[in-house]
Amino acid sequence: MTKPEVLAPVGDMERLKAAIRFGADAVYLGSTEYGMRAASANFGMDDLKAAVQYAHERGVRVYLTCNTLPNNREMERLEEFLQNAAGCGVDAFIVSDIGVLTTAKKAAPQVEIHISTQAGIVNAVTATEFYKMGAKRVVLARELSLEDIRYIRDHTPPELEIEVFVHGAMCMSFSGRCLLSNYMAHRDANRGECAQPCRWGYYLVEEKRLDQPMPIMENEQGTYILNAKDLCMLEYIDKVIEAGATSLKIEGRAKSSYYVSVVTNAYRIGVDSYLESPQNWKLEPWLMDEVRKVSHRDYSTGFYFGRPQEGQRYDTGGYIRNCDIVAIVDCWKDGVAYCTQKNKFFAGDKVELLEPGKRPVEIAITELYNEEGEAIEDTRHAHMKFSFPFKTPVAEGTIIRKDV
């Protein structure tokens, strides 16, 4: 069996290092133009070159998002942009527009073409035609079932790679091609500027009673009628792989390095455990606990098992958050863990240590010391350096977190 790729999202260098540390085979990111996350930090060309070098030194591939729908003025700059990006060493361009695809083939023929989910590929004929046009990979629409994916795999050239989303936020519109943000906030979702009005609460007004808004009751609990639950297929990795997916994609380029670390770690361990024993694989329950320890909406399995029966959450548009990162381990030496603070916590608090590739371990940190070696009661200063005694060696980048 070909080893399926765990593909992680990154928005800056911190998140790139986190994704690689916690087991990503490849990462996808955006530059300053043509990507679907205009609000993310993203990478200028100098940063992109450094990111690619860092990833390649560690055997990790880098895919650049170029999946907006550019207008005429933006197309004029595209060829130079793609040439510069290719010079940084990216492994693939993720595109959705046919004009961008043909320009990429001309500007940088050595760089792979991956067709974005924005292209809305839902059948084998379309996937095959993109392959004939030069695509190495297609990212299928999120609205497909496992049976649909299996059919596409069985009826497309075996050399064509198939990528699917397995985790993260879902769009209420087909494959993210939405105009609601344009109408509501004058921000074009197809240029990476979505204001996410699907997450807002709404009221209904009658034309002669504009001052008497009424809640829209999708059911007795609420009004967030467009608010999709997050996708999570961690428990069904076996079914996704067996359907023919080449790459398992995690959504979240705008999310934190903590999110990237925890979710990538969970899917890395889940995929590896499946490959070790595919015949009788079952996910270890603690891994599902892991993906509940990041900020998330209620989870669902999206369209994988057919039309979602409970794919929306109507009572709130917010996130569930029950765990906070409080520090990152910089290094361990002679029985002492040296750390950088991320959030305040106190000596005596029970925390969890999450090392890359491992199950979390609960400990109580009873002693804290500042950078000068003086005893302290808490880590109150942002990004302060501190240490605590710990007999067991612990890896660089280990996450320290606590319940909230």
Side-chain angles (χ1 to χ4, degrees), residues 16 44 59 87 144 147 184 187 193 199 232 242 252 266 276 281 293 299 311 337 352 370 398:
L16 177 119
L144 296 181
E147 291 181 6
M184 302 289 289
R187 287 167 54 178
E193 300 171 352
R199 309 298 181 185
C232 179
E242 289 162 9
E276 288 174 5
W281 180 82
K293 291 179 180 178
Y299 285 128
E352 281 188 337
N370 63 19
T398 292

Side-chain angles (χ1 to χ4, degrees), residues 126-235:
T126 302
T128 300
E129 288 305 311
F130 273 118
Y131 174 75
K132 292 177 182 178
M133 293 172 68
K136 173 71 172 178
R137 175 183 297 189
V138 291
V139 188
L140 298 182
R142 303 187 207 191
E143 293 75 23
L144 296 181
S145 69
L146 288 166
E147 291 181 6
D148 295 328
I149 295 168
R150 185 177 293 107
Y151 185 94
I152 291 172
R153 174 70 286 168
D154 291 343
H155 293 81
T156 53
E159 297 82 9
L160 178 65
E161 298 176 358
I162 291 179
E163 180 178 306
V164 298
F165 278 92
V166 292
H167 194 94
M170 292 284 282
C171 184
M172 51 73 64
S173 187
F174 181 79
S175 295
R177 296 186 295 183
C178 185
L179 290 175
L180 186 61
S181 180
N182 298 51
Y183 286 112
M184 302 289 289
H186 305 289
R187 287 167 54 178
D188 191 344
N190 296 307
R191 282 187 177 75
E193 300 171 352
C194 186
Q196 296 197 358
C198 56
R199 309 298 181 185
W200 302 348
Y202 288 91
Y203 288 89
L204 175 71
V205 293
E206 194 272 328
E207 64 178 343
K208 293 184 172 59
R209 297 177 177 84
L210 298 178
D211 60 342
Q212 299 177 32
M214 299 168 283
I216 302 172
M217 302 301 289
E218 178 76 11
N219 62 17
E220 70 277 6
Q221 293 182 314
T223 61
Y224 291 82
I225 60 171
L226 303 177
N227 183 45
K229 293 180 180 180
D230 284 358
L231 174 67
C232 179
M233 286 295 289
L234 184 59
E235 290 180 288

Side-chain angles (χ1 to χ4, degrees), residues 37-70:
R37 292 292 183 272
S40 299
N42 294 315
F43 292 77
M45 285 299 164
D46 290 341
D47 295 331
L48 181 60
K49 186 174 183 178
V52 172
Q53 181 178 348
Y54 183 90
H56 284 179
E57 287 172 352
R58 290 156 180 81
V60 173
R61 289 163 58 82
V62 178
Y63 309 143
L64 179 66
T65 59
C66 305
N67 54 344
T68 58
L69 302 179

